[in-house]
Each structure stands twice: as C-alpha cells, then as structure tokens.
C-alpha cells in the first residue's frame, strides 16, 4: 500500500507529455474536485447521522425535487471549485445557470461541469451513488465565460471522471491518456490534511464482449424499435438468435452501472423513448453522457445515442438530455447496426409519428 502512487503523483506521470503549467493547473483542478468528493464521501458515509437524508424542499434546474444531499454536495463542489485559481466557471445539474469564480475568473483556463450526486433516489436505501464531472477548456481565457463557452463537443473534454460512493470510494478518471482508478484512503486526512487517493488500477479496459445488460425494463413499451429488438434477442437466451443466456442488472445509479461495466464489461442503456416527446432521453449530455462517453471510449468501449457517437454531439443547452447506449464495443456496434437497419427504422418512425403500437419481437 505504501508503494501506491497518490492522485497527484499518478497525474503528473500520466500528463508528462504536457507543459509544466498545464500539468500543475490540471493537478490543482482535479485535486480540488477530489477534495470535494472526499467530503461528499464522508457525508454520504455517515448516513442518517449526517442529518442529510430526505428532501430539501426545493427543485433543481429541471424542476426535479432535490434531496438534502444533492444540495449539500453541490455546495461542496462549488466551494472547492470557487477556490481553485484555474477554474473560470462551472455548471451543475442543480443550477439553471453557470457560476463564475469571484476571484479567479479571468485567470482560469478551465470550465467544469458536474452532476454532484448522481443516483440520489438511492440515498435512503443506502445503495451506491456518485459524482460525475467534466473539465473543458475555457477558450476565452482572460475573458468572462458565458453559457455559450460550455457548448463544446465531448471531444473537447480535457479530463472527465466519476466518483463512486459504494462500500469503497473510488474515482475513475481520464485525462485522454487511458483510464486510471483511485481508491480513497479513508484512514488518511488526519490533522486537517487533505485525504489521500491512491492509484489502484491503470489502463482500465472494458472487454469487447459481454453477456450482461442494464436497462430500466419498466419503460419497455416506450423504447425505440432497435432497442426492443436488441433486448428481445438477449432475453431469448440460448435458444434465441444470440445463442447464449444474458444476465440483467439495474441499480438506477448511472455511476454504479458504468463502474460495473468498467470492471467486467456490459451494456448500459437509457434509450430514446416516447414517454415525453420533448425529452429525447433521461440523461443529461454535458455532465452525465459526455464524461461517461469519454471514459468508456478511453477504456476501449463505445458510447452512442443509437445513431451517433455521444462525443460528436454539440450541446444546445447546459441541461440538454440525450439517449445513452454505452459499454462493451461489440454489443454497441450491434445496437448501432440495428438502428441503421432500414426495416427497423421504418417501424420506429411509424411508431413515433402515428403512435402505432409495435409489439416487441419475440
Ligand atoms: O441521474 C439520472 C439517474 O439517476 C441515473 O443515475 C440512473 O441511471 C437513472 O437516472 C435512473 O433512472 P430510473 O429512475 O428511470 O431508473
Ligand atoms: Mn445524475
């Protein structure tokens, strides 16, 4: 354990092809996020004793009820980002508009977008929750960022990651040079020092093949046709066209779902559906889909909305929603091919425009 690299040492090594000021500013920014997440981990780990369970009596940027821990996690992230001299502005799921650092706004070379507490419906059930973040360049360094400054594709991300608050607290991170995993040393941080994150795995790779998928099956009647076909083929098992049995998991915490895929492969889907025609998906592009897509691609997997790579999408707004299909590469290739199949698409178009009920294929 003593031989393990700390987050700061591992980052300096991972970024050793970059200019010293880039390494220093990136290490500082990621350390600020890591310190915030160590604090959130502590709060989440205290459970009901932290007094942070239950609803907050307020709503987030999209009118969804906020939990106390959503609000507290957002405040902790905001506080740490506001004290980081390299961050010009940040945007969160919990606020309609972005925020600017009081002091460092003109120096900052980065913009940060984040979901402070993903999967927060799981808090009281003591099931894994997480934080997701993305670091973008602030192209107009020296000028105040506007909300337009964040409208960059996922390819522009300089770094992305998530922190999983499970039995262990784990950060999974990419600076576009592979995927690193760190474990929070919960015995560290005595005498007011920051807590230590230790490198516990590098070069994380998602197996290309899998027999496991994750989808909220209660929405089946609303799914698009290519997804109906894919799931029907998986659940047909050994006697179906895939000629093998599949397993299913659904935690309802995207961070936990993606972490399982990072460790043993799998497919995660929150596909386009017809529930609310104005919402093409459940998950948010900038602080859920894009950072996860970069991590998954850096680990050899693939992330799409069905027809396009998630990293190619240009955000319209900070809180834009998108369909998400990601994980083991061979399976995602297959799902994309079903979306490209003209027969599948014709049925789906009819389903969408004329509300024809299409039975899932058995
Ligand atoms: O942030 C959205 C989220 O909580 C994800 O973490 C999770 O994958 C999904 O929503 C769960 O959705 P549902 O409540 O439909 O199962
Ligand atoms: Mn979320």
């Amino acid at each position: 354990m003593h031989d393990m690299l700390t987050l700061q040492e591992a980052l300096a090594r991972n970024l050793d092809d970059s200019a010293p000021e880039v390494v220093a500013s990136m290490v500082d920014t990621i350390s600020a996020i890591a310190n915030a997440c160590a604090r959130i981990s502590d709060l989440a780990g205290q459970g009901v004793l932290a007094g942070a369970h239950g609803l907050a009596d307020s709503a987030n940027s999209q009118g969804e009820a906020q939990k106390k821990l959503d609000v507290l996690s957002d405040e902790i992230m905001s506080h740490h980002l506001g004290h980081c001299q390299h961050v010009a502005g940040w945007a969160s799921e919990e606020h309609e508009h972005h925020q600017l650092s009081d002091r460092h706004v003109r120096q900052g070379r980065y913009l940060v977008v984040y979901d402070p507490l993903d999967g927060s419906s799981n808090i009281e059930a003591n099931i894994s929750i997480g934080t997701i973040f993305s670091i973008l360049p602030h192209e107009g360094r020296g000028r105040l960022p506007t909300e337009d400054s964040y409208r960059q594709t996922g390819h522009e991300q300089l770094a992305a990651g998530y922190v999983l608050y499970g039995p262990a607290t784990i950060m999974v991170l990419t600076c576009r040079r592979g995927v690193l995993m760190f474990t929070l040393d919960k015995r560290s941080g005595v005498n007011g020092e920051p807590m230590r994150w230790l490198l516990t795995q590098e070069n994380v790779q998602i197996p290309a093949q899998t027999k496991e998928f994750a989808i909220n099956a209660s929405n089946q009647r609303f799914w698009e046709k290519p997804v109906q076909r894919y799931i029907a083929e998986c659940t047909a098992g050994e006697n179906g066209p895939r000629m093998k049995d599949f397993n299913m998991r659904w935690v309802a915490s995207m961070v936990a779902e993606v972490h399982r895929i990072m460790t043993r492969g799998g497919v995660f889907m929150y596909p386009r559906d017809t529930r609310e025609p104005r919402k093409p998906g459940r998950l948010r592009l900038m602080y859920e889909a894009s950072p996860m897509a970069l991590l998954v691609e850096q680990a050899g997997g693939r992330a799409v909305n069905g027809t396009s790579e998630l990293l190619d999408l240009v955000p319209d707004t900070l809180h834009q929603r998108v369909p998400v299909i990601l994980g083991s590469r061979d399976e995602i290739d297959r799902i994309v091919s079903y979306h490209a199949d003209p027969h599948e698409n014709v049925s789906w178009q009819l389903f969408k425009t004329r509300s024809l009920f299409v039975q899932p294929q058995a």
Side-chain angles (χ1 to χ4, degrees):
M1 172 128 153
H2 291 297
D3 298 338
M4 290 177 180
L5 296 183
T6 63
L7 173 66
Q8 290 71 19
E9 290 164 347
L11 275 176
R13 194 180 68 178
N14 189 249
L15 291 165
D16 67 359
D17 56 348
S18 307
E21 65 274 16
V22 171
V23 179
S25 57
M26 195 47 91
V27 171
D28 269 11
T29 305
I30 293 173
S31 298
I33 295 170
N35 290 338
C37 292
R39 178 79 194 105
I40 298 170
S41 169
D42 183 44
L43 268 182
Q46 287 179 44
V48 77
L49 301 180
H53 275 193
L55 288 172
D57 239 4
S58 51
N60 71 7
S61 55
Q62 289 133 86
E64 298 161 336
Q66 288 175 307
K67 297 282 185 76
K68 286 183 190 155
L69 209 52
D70 284 322
V71 175
L72 280 172
S73 305
D74 183 57
E75 285 169 8
I76 293 168
M77 285 287 280
S78 256
H79 173 82
H80 283 81
L81 293 171
H83 281 80
C84 179
Q85 60 173 316
H86 307 291
V87 178
W90 60 93
S92 149
E93 175 179 340
E94 306 305 331
H95 292 277
E96 188 174 353
H97 298 295
H98 77 131
Q99 289 168 268
L100 297 172
S101 163
D102 292 341
R103 289 174 292 167
H104 308 302
V105 62
R106 294 189 191 278
Q107 278 166 265
R109 51 170 85 216
Y110 303 129
L111 303 172
V112 178
V113 271
Y114 60 89
D115 177 355
L117 206 68
D118 176 64
S120 50
S121 71
N122 281 323
I123 295 170
E124 289 77 16
N126 200 24
I127 295 170
S128 297
I129 44 184
T131 297
I132 311 171
F133 59 89
S134 159
I135 302 179
L136 292 161
H138 172 35
E139 298 295 358
R141 193 173 173 209
R143 292 198 306 273
L144 293 182
T146 64
E147 281 181 15
D148 250 5
S149 316
Y150 296 78
R151 292 187 58 237
Q152 308 184 37
T153 70
H155 292 292
E156 313 304 319
Q157 295 174 98
L158 299 169
Y162 64 78
V163 174
L164 173 68
Y165 311 110
T169 294
I170 294 176
M171 177 187 292
V172 179
L173 179 69
T174 183
C175 297
R176 315 191 65 93
R177 292 156 181 81
V179 176
L180 306 172
M181 266 189 207
F182 300 88
T183 304
L184 179 64
D185 179 0
K186 292 189 181 172
R187 293 167 306 180
S188 66
V190 285
N191 302 327
E193 284 171 14
M195 291 183 83
R196 283 192 317 169
W197 297 81
L198 297 173
L199 180 68
T200 40
Q201 201 184 330
E202 49 192 329
N203 191 23
V204 176
Q205 290 290 320
I206 298 173
Q209 289 163 13
T210 182
K211 294 184 347 184
E212 199 162 65
F213 64 86
I215 193 163
N216 182 342
S218 69
N219 297 326
Q220 182 179 6
R221 65 195 180 285
F222 302 115
W223 295 338
E224 53 186 338
K225 190 85 191 317
V227 171
Q228 297 276 8
R229 174 181 171 189
Y230 176 76
I231 297 297
E233 289 181 358
C234 291
T235 53
E238 236 178 6
N239 300 324
R242 301 300 306 274
M243 292 185 294
K244 56 183 184 181
D245 290 337
F246 278 73
N247 192 14
M248 197 203 85
R249 288 284 182 270
W250 186 250
V251 186
S253 275
M254 187 194 199
V255 170
E257 249 48 273
V258 172
H259 194 66
R260 187 184 57 248
I261 291 171
M262 285 287 178
T263 57
R264 64 181 193 216
V267 171
F268 168 84
M269 290 192 254
Y270 219 117
R272 184 185 303 279
D273 67 38
T274 54
R275 257 183 307 175
E276 288 181 71
R278 280 179 303 128
K279 286 187 190 165
R282 165 102 160 85
L283 301 171
R284 274 55 59 107
L285 175 59
M286 296 214 62
Y287 42 82
E288 293 179 319
S290 265
M292 291 308 201
L294 186 63
L295 285 161
V296 165
E297 298 229 340
Q298 285 283 318
R302 190 173 173 194
V304 299
N305 65 2
T307 50
S308 307
E309 308 303 314
L310 287 176
L311 293 179
D312 288 342
L313 303 180
V314 184
D316 291 331
T317 61
L318 279 177
H319 302 289
Q320 180 181 342
R321 293 176 190 257
V322 282
V324 172
I325 298 173
L326 58 77
S328 292
R329 186 164 275 276
D330 289 359
E331 293 300 305
I332 307 304
D333 290 350
R334 174 184 287 270
I335 297 166
V336 170
S337 79
Y338 291 179
H339 281 82
D341 181 334
H343 171 70
E344 300 295 346
N345 272 324
V346 167
S347 318
W348 170 239
Q349 290 305 333
L350 287 173
F351 182 40
K352 269 196 310 186
T353 54
R354 296 188 210 155
S355 300
L356 287 185
F357 181 69
V358 178
Q359 285 286 356
Q361 294 183 340

